[in-house]
Amino acid sequence: MINIAVMGHGVVGSGVVELFYKNRESIQKKVGKPMDIKYILDLRDFPDFPYHEKFVKDFSVIADDPDIEVVAEVMGGLEPAFTFVKTCLEKGKSVVTSNKELVAAKGAQLLEVARQNGVNFFFEASVGGGIPIIRPLHSCLAANEIDEIAGILNGTTNFILTKMIREQSSFADALALAQKLGYAERIPTADVEGHDACRKICILASLAFGKHVYPEQVHTEGISNVTLEDTEYAENWGGVVKLIGRAKRLEDGRLSAMVSPAFLSHESQLSSIDDVFNGILVRGDATGDVVFYGKGAGKLPTASAVVADIVDAIKATGTSKSLHWVDDGENHVEDWRQTESRFYLRLSGLDREKALQMVRKEFGDVEELHRPKQPGDEIAFVTSLVREQAAEEKLAALRGAGLALLGKIRVLDY
Ligand code: HSE
């Protein structure tokens, strides 16, 4: 009998238990051995839950039980998750996790602890919910150098933007619905301000480029400043607004990485990914673009990836060598102010002709955009490529001349 422990019985943890027992027979066939969940760790009581006798409150029950081979950490947060995961690995138990905060902050360290102890540390569920992306990246695409990754990595913000655009829903109503459906983080600012997407692009970048990329190294902007007017201008331009996490290998070996809202053309494969769905584009030097698409959040999609990792952890012998990256003590991410981008800008305060004259003086030729009910003193346009720092200086000059900045969103070409 293979014994499993599940640490955490929130949205994902309860989904793991539900899915395991629902599909236990076929899961056991894939493993080739009988399996059971022996413990569920949670501080709360669930007296009406069918498996209530499996609940424990004390982590040491799991850590000290030599019968437990695989532990699923689905508690979230850095502590005590980090201590618990590290302890399990040191005690020779493989660990699978959905905890992107943990992997983004401690991935290199935990992968090394797993290697030293001859066990596995898997985290398919940490990025893209139910979408297979971690395993394809280090396994199916192993023959490629990965040049670039870009994706819609947060289901909650994609759900909010979709509701705002399609149903003119208010930001607050859309967020409340995402929370009710179990998509949002415990503290939803992690979704809204881009931190969740940032953790996910850090995990993907670390895996693709082999060096740990930390969230604090990646410039991150969320969607709280995106307005319905911005989405109208995006439509006039021929696209949509999406929150995009991206990482790119530069010629000098460094990386550029950022999370921000972006205009994407309707022709982009990522532009039609709506609601809670995530889409991740991986650009390999042999494959060209490969796009992964599916439900990026929610109880059962995320549980699907956790249970699949449990299956693989049981089937695996030793530590997976391709699932690996290191922290070499250096920051490999280029200063974001040095990157170049095109920008959508929305300004107001002067009449159109005068404003455009000043804009052209700073940004050269621009592509002017329009929206219904556009006030006479409002202009919107898309620039050509300009360095981030230079764009800031040009905007400061326009502000000095009496123009107020109402919207600024990067324009991306994926
Ligand atoms: N809050 C996350 C999201 C959950 O909305 O994508 C999945 O990581």
Side-chain angles (χ1 to χ4, degrees):
M1 172 70 74
I2 305 284
N3 285 298
I4 301 155
V6 178
M7 301 197 294
H9 195 252
V11 174
V12 180
S14 60
V16 168
V17 177
E18 182 185 325
L19 184 61
F20 175 79
Y21 284 110
K22 178 172 174 283
N23 294 343
R24 185 179 183 182
E25 210 174 304
S26 70
I27 292 167
Q28 289 182 141
K29 272 194 197 138
K30 282 161 197 151
V31 170
K33 291 175 192 161
M35 299 161 67
D36 202 2
I37 294 174
K38 188 167 178 184
Y39 305 118
I40 305 167
L41 180 73
D42 204 293
L43 292 177
R44 296 163 297 175
D45 290 311
F46 296 86
D48 301 328
F49 190 67
Y51 307 104
H52 61 89
E53 79 285 355
K54 296 177 188 287
F55 278 86
V56 293
K57 290 186 165 56
D58 180 1
F59 165 67
S60 64
V61 174
I62 295 170
D64 296 339
D65 186 339
D67 284 350
I68 296 293
E69 283 188 37
V70 183
V71 178
E73 185 278 302
V74 282
M75 307 173 352
L78 265 190
E79 282 294 355
F82 173 65
T83 305
F84 289 2
V85 168
K86 188 163 170 278
T87 305
C88 289
L89 294 170
E90 285 166 347
K91 287 187 175 259
K93 304 174 194 307
S94 284
V95 176
V96 309
T97 183
S98 59
N99 187 340
K100 48 261 156 139
E101 192 176 354
L102 177 69
V103 183
K106 303 284 184 185
Q109 189 179 346
L110 291 171
L111 284 165
E112 180 56 20
V113 176
R115 195 190 61 77
Q116 283 168 5
N117 290 278
V119 291
N120 272 302
F121 177 55
F122 287 158
F123 38 87
E124 185 61 67
S126 66
V127 182
I131 308 172
I133 178 64
I134 301 292
R135 199 162 279 101
L137 204 53
H138 74 90
S139 183
C140 316
L141 296 172
N144 287 258
E145 289 291 334
I146 305 298
D147 295 323
E148 195 160 356
I149 300 173
I152 294 169
L153 299 167
N154 182 266
T156 300
T157 45
N158 206 38
F159 182 84
I160 293 171
L161 287 171
T162 306
K163 289 272 168 215
M164 283 171 69
I165 295 167
R166 280 214 207 122
E167 298 167 25
Q168 310 283 296
S169 175
S170 78
F171 185 92
D173 286 351
L175 174 59
L177 188 54
Q179 286 176 295
K180 194 173 148 213
L181 292 169
Y183 303 153
E185 297 299 295
R186 269 181 300 187
I187 304 166
T189 47
D191 296 299
V192 171
E193 298 306 338
H195 305 306
D196 179 76
C198 175
R199 289 165 189 152
K200 291 167 178 168
I201 197 66
C202 286
I203 295 170
L204 296 177
S206 301
L207 185 55
F209 305 118
K211 302 283 191 312
H212 198 125
V213 177
Y214 289 96
E216 41 292 2
Q217 298 168 343
V218 176
H219 179 70
T220 298
E221 296 172 17
I223 63 162
S224 52
N225 292 329
V226 176
T227 61
L228 280 176
E229 289 81 2
D230 296 331
T231 67
E232 287 174 348
Y233 281 120
E235 181 58 40
N236 177 249
W237 172 75
V240 287
V241 181
K242 295 287 184 192
L243 183 69
I244 301 292
R246 55 220 186 254
K248 183 178 178 177
R249 187 193 300 275
L250 302 173
E251 274 173 18
D252 63 3
R254 290 169 65 78
L255 298 179
S256 87
M258 196 184 289
V259 175
S260 75
F263 273 26
L264 289 185
S265 144
H266 284 308
E267 280 163 31
S268 160
Q269 296 189 75
L270 299 178
S271 70
S272 55
I273 291 169
D274 287 333
D275 294 312
V276 73
F277 286 85
N278 283 189
I280 305 157
L281 182 150
V282 179
R283 191 163 286 169
D285 65 347
T287 55
D289 290 356
V290 183
V291 178
F292 299 84
Y293 170 77
K295 279 194 179 153
K299 180 174 169 170
L300 290 180
T302 311
S304 155
V306 175
V307 175
D309 270 356
I310 293 174
V311 168
D312 263 15
I314 296 167
K315 282 162 52 184
T317 48
T319 308
S320 169
K321 286 196 171 51
S322 57
L323 185 60
H324 186 69
W325 66 76
V326 294
D327 176 353
D328 61 3
E330 280 183 38
N331 180 357
H332 296 274
V333 181
E334 173 193 64
D335 180 352
W336 67 279
R337 293 173 210 83
Q338 300 309 318
T339 59
E340 281 192 328
S341 198
R342 291 162 71 210
F343 291 90
Y344 146 82
L345 298 168
R346 176 180 166 224
L347 302 160
S348 79
L350 295 174
D351 79 74
R352 178 178 164 271
E353 276 312 320
K354 183 137 196 267
L356 277 174
Q357 211 180 2
M358 295 171 68
V359 162
R360 292 202 175 101
K361 205 172 127 216
E362 295 297 333
F363 285 97
D365 251 0
V366 294
E367 178 188 352
E368 205 186 346
L369 304 178
H370 300 284
R371 70 175 174 97
K373 299 186 188 153
Q374 179 177 349
D377 68 343
E378 178 176 293
I379 56 162
F381 56 90
V382 168
T383 69
S384 46
L385 276 178
V386 53
R387 213 172 279 278
E388 294 270 352
Q389 196 166 356
E392 274 310 310
E393 286 158 14
K394 291 171 192 300
L395 280 170
L398 293 176
R399 278 196 202 95
L403 283 163
L405 180 67
L406 302 181
K408 175 186 169 199
I409 296 179
R410 292 165 186 84
V411 177
L412 300 180
D413 286 329
Y414 297 109

